[in-house]
Amino acid sequence: MAGGGAEGLLGMEPSSSISIKYGRFFGAHQDLSLLEVDDGVLTEIMQHGVTIRGSPDEEAVLCTSSKTYAIKFVATSNSVFLIPPQNLVLQKEAEEDYRQPQTECDRPSAGALKLAPGHMEIIQVAPKLEKLKSLLSERPYKEDDMGAEIEMRGLEGGLYRWEDLLEKIQASEEELRAGLKRLEAVEIEGYWRIVDSKFIGCLLDVLILNCVQHDWPLNALKAADILPMLEQDGYSRKIAMHCLEVYGNTIVGSAEEGQHETGQVWCLNERLVCLHYAKQLMSAGRWKLDDFMEAWMQNLPSGMQASMEMLKGEALLEKFGLDMWIHPFSVSSLPATPAERFAALFRERPKWQWQDLEPYIRDLQVPGLSVEGLLIKYTRKSQPTADSSPIFSAR
């Protein structure tokens, strides 16, 4: 077939012509679809490949190494023929031992393989990480797991390796790693686990108690001292390091810099440690604010100072009569999708001032939509006077 295949069309000279015909292998070919992408995604496809993720009951998404895209099929009323490269046609003919009649080679032509009814478009969306927390919550790491090997116990149910999460979660690898970090998950014996809040809280208490006993400064903790001490108390090195990562920051050396963990120096994060003790107190329920602040200050390690600023996104204040009360309301317990998040917020309160609302929506990520856009879409804004703070209610 002279000039056959897609090459014949791409290499056409001005004022020339080529016949388009139904190829020998023309058919439905359900395994072939047209996908429209920009140059950035095309480069990603050619260099690294992409993955389609989703279970049968989910809408499929396309994932690159760093982003997630919704897939939308766009039908067309025009006839769009797919014409394969000539080498693929020849390969197919060779596989079927097909010999084209000489009469078909008399004039340049290209054989269509399929008539495409439309094409797929992709739109960047936020990763669907709600399922990640649900999966990891099936088997949180608790005190009972200390010193036990998972495989020997035959209790792998509810545990997930990296490959399992990639298969089940509709997110790119980069977004999945970020989601695991936000959940403070840790890889233990090849499985990703979230650590039970009471367990890691007790570990922090043990760490601080030992620091007080050894007169170690909380803003300059040497991992070479801390890790062996916690191991003697029955905690694995992995969990001990995880505690430092959750509640502290490295001030000397880091894993990213290639520094071995025993050479690192850590500083406990004042906000995170204070927040830990605040959550312990609020687990009992609602408090009078004055009583809560007094109990909170008494529970803190020496040298640490608490402030109400630390509780933004974790607790709400309400006035009843002459007294101000505080109760837990954590952003981490709210849905990740904007519509469900705002619905939950307005169930808690029908009206919000901006300074109270902002900590509960600043983590929402919707590509192409700013926080202001989210407010316009999901809330009504009112302002009684020009000088008063705006009030947001459900739209």
Side-chain angles (χ1 to χ4, degrees), residues 88-164:
L88 294 183
V89 177
L90 295 174
Q91 179 184 344
K92 185 70 173 176
E93 291 177 348
E95 290 173 356
E96 298 194 8
D97 195 24
Y98 173 72
R99 296 293 181 268
Q100 183 170 262
Q102 186 64 30
T103 56
E104 295 186 17
C105 299
D106 294 340
R107 56 179 299 188
S109 63
L113 183 68
K114 171 180 179 170
L115 176 63
H119 67 277
M120 293 185 296
E121 291 182 346
I122 58 174
I123 304 170
Q124 187 180 352
V125 294
K128 300 182 179 182
L129 296 172
E130 301 87 349
K131 192 175 180 180
L132 179 61
K133 183 176 181 180
S134 175
L135 291 177
L136 298 185
S137 297
E138 293 176 13
R139 286 280 303 280
Y141 188 93
K142 298 182 178 181
E143 185 176 0
D144 294 342
D145 294 291
M146 291 174 60
E149 293 188 6
I150 294 169
E151 287 78 9
M152 291 183 64
R153 290 181 297 161
L155 297 175
E156 295 88 347
L159 298 176
Y160 301 94
R161 298 183 183 274
W162 171 253
E163 295 77 13
D164 301 326

Side-chain angles (χ1 to χ4, degrees), residues 209-221:
L209 179 60
N210 276 277
C211 290
V212 172
Q213 291 176 345
H214 293 86
D215 199 24
W216 291 335
L218 299 182
N219 60 357
L221 297 175

